[in-house]
């Protein structure tokens, strides 16, 4: 397992500059244009170093130093540990994990999941699951579709009710389809893990506010990171 861990960490560190660039580009409030270039010097912000500073003017962009790199490396190790046959499903898991890292940081910063990231994630996962369908057991593709529609439909209903943003439903479709490949128990486990993690985080935030003798206001939790972490936890625990 040692070589796999080393290789996974290297892969995570190699893709981290691109993921950090995506975070800097899309972590902008609703209604504002994407941050295509550094606002100080105009240099393209496609790839960023671990410091998170623009290579041209040293302006801080996006996430904090080494945070994206640490998360990308850890997620890559998790994907390597969860690797299974067919290989295309592992590739789908890796694709969802990579874009999920960027989405998690963006949602945590500005409470939004941009279509420019969620739709490629959904399209890639759907295409790879379709490619793996001929090797799947009876009923597996239908189960993937049913789980995807169920999770996506519940999240879309929450969007209509104003409880979530529009980017949550395509993320739910992608994660539901991917979890459906591993079975109903894994899919339910992923949703349960997401709810538990979100509840724990909300409790910790409330406890921290009370410990500082500050009022506990609306928690306004980002849903994306917990959906992603819950899905990965369920896949690892299967």
């Amino acid at each position: 397992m040692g070589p796999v861990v080393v290789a996974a960490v290297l892969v995570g560190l190699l893709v981290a500059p691109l993921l950090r660039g995506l975070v800097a580009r899309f972590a902008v409030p609703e209604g504002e244009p994407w941050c295509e270039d550094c606002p100080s010097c105009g240099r393209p912000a496609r790839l960023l170093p671990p410091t998170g500073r623009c290579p041209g003017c040293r302006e801080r962009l996006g996430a904090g130093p080494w945070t994206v790199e640490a998360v990308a490396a850890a997620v890559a190790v998790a994907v390597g540990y969860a690797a299974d046959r067919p290989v295309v499903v592992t590739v789908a898991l890796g694709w969802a994990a990579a874009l999920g890292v960027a989405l998690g940081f963006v949602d945590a910063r500005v409470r939004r999941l941009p279509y420019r990231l969620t739709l490629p994630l959904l399209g890639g996962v759907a295409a790879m699951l379709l490619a793996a369908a001929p090797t799947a057991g009876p009923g597996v593709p239908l189960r993937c579709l049913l789980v995807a529609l169920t999770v996506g439909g519940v999240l879309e209903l929450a969007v209509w009710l104003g409880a979530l943003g529009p980017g949550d439903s395509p993320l739910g479709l992608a994660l539901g389809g991917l979890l459906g490949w591993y079975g109903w128990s894994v899919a339910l486990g992923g949703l349960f893990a997401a709810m538990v993690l979100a509840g724990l985080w909300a409790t910790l935030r409330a406890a921290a506010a009370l410990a500082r003798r500050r009022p506990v206001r609306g928690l306004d939790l980002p849903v994306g990171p917990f959906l992603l972490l819950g899905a990965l936890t369920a896949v690892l625990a299967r």
Side-chain angles (χ1 to χ4, degrees):
M1 193 65 183
V4 174
V5 172
V6 173
V9 169
L10 290 176
V11 170
L13 294 177
L14 285 173
V15 301
L18 176 59
L19 300 181
R20 183 174 282 280
L22 291 175
V23 174
R25 183 181 182 187
F26 293 112
V28 295
E30 189 75 34
E32 294 187 10
W34 304 127
C35 183
E36 304 283 355
D37 306 312
C38 174
S40 296
C41 67
R43 179 169 178 160
R46 300 290 190 275
L47 300 172
L48 292 174
T51 59
R53 295 187 179 275
C54 172
C57 66
R58 310 299 296 169
E59 173 79 11
R60 177 67 60 80
L61 301 172
W66 288 99
T67 52
V68 176
E69 290 71 21
V71 173
V75 168
V77 171
V79 171
Y81 179 80
D84 201 354
R85 295 182 180 179
V87 176
V88 67
V89 176
T90 300
V91 174
L93 181 61
W95 175 253
L99 286 181
V101 170
L103 281 166
F105 275 94
V106 171
D107 199 17
R109 288 175 65 87
V110 295
R111 303 297 190 269
R112 66 183 301 195
L113 295 169
Y115 285 136
R116 297 281 292 273
L117 292 178
T118 55
L119 293 183
L121 190 156
L122 173 59
V125 168
M128 284 180 260
L129 290 181
L130 283 173
T135 66
V140 173
L142 178 60
R143 184 177 65 215
C144 292
L145 179 62
L146 290 176
V147 176
L149 292 177
T150 300
V151 177
V154 170
L155 294 178
E156 183 64 22
L157 177 60
V159 172
W160 289 346
L161 295 174
L164 296 178
D168 289 287
S169 48
L171 178 62
L173 284 169
L175 295 181
L178 192 55
L179 289 174
W181 180 273
Y182 297 102
W184 285 105
S185 61
V186 176
L188 293 174
L191 295 176
F192 179 74
M195 290 187 293
V196 169
L197 291 169
L200 286 174
W201 182 249
T203 302
L204 289 173
R205 287 187 60 185
L210 291 173
R212 295 195 301 267
R213 298 182 179 180
R214 295 180 179 177
V216 180
R217 298 184 175 89
L219 295 175
D220 188 25
L221 293 180
V223 175
F226 298 108
L227 287 174
L228 291 160
L229 189 55
L232 185 58
T233 300
V235 172
L236 289 173
R238 75 188 191 280

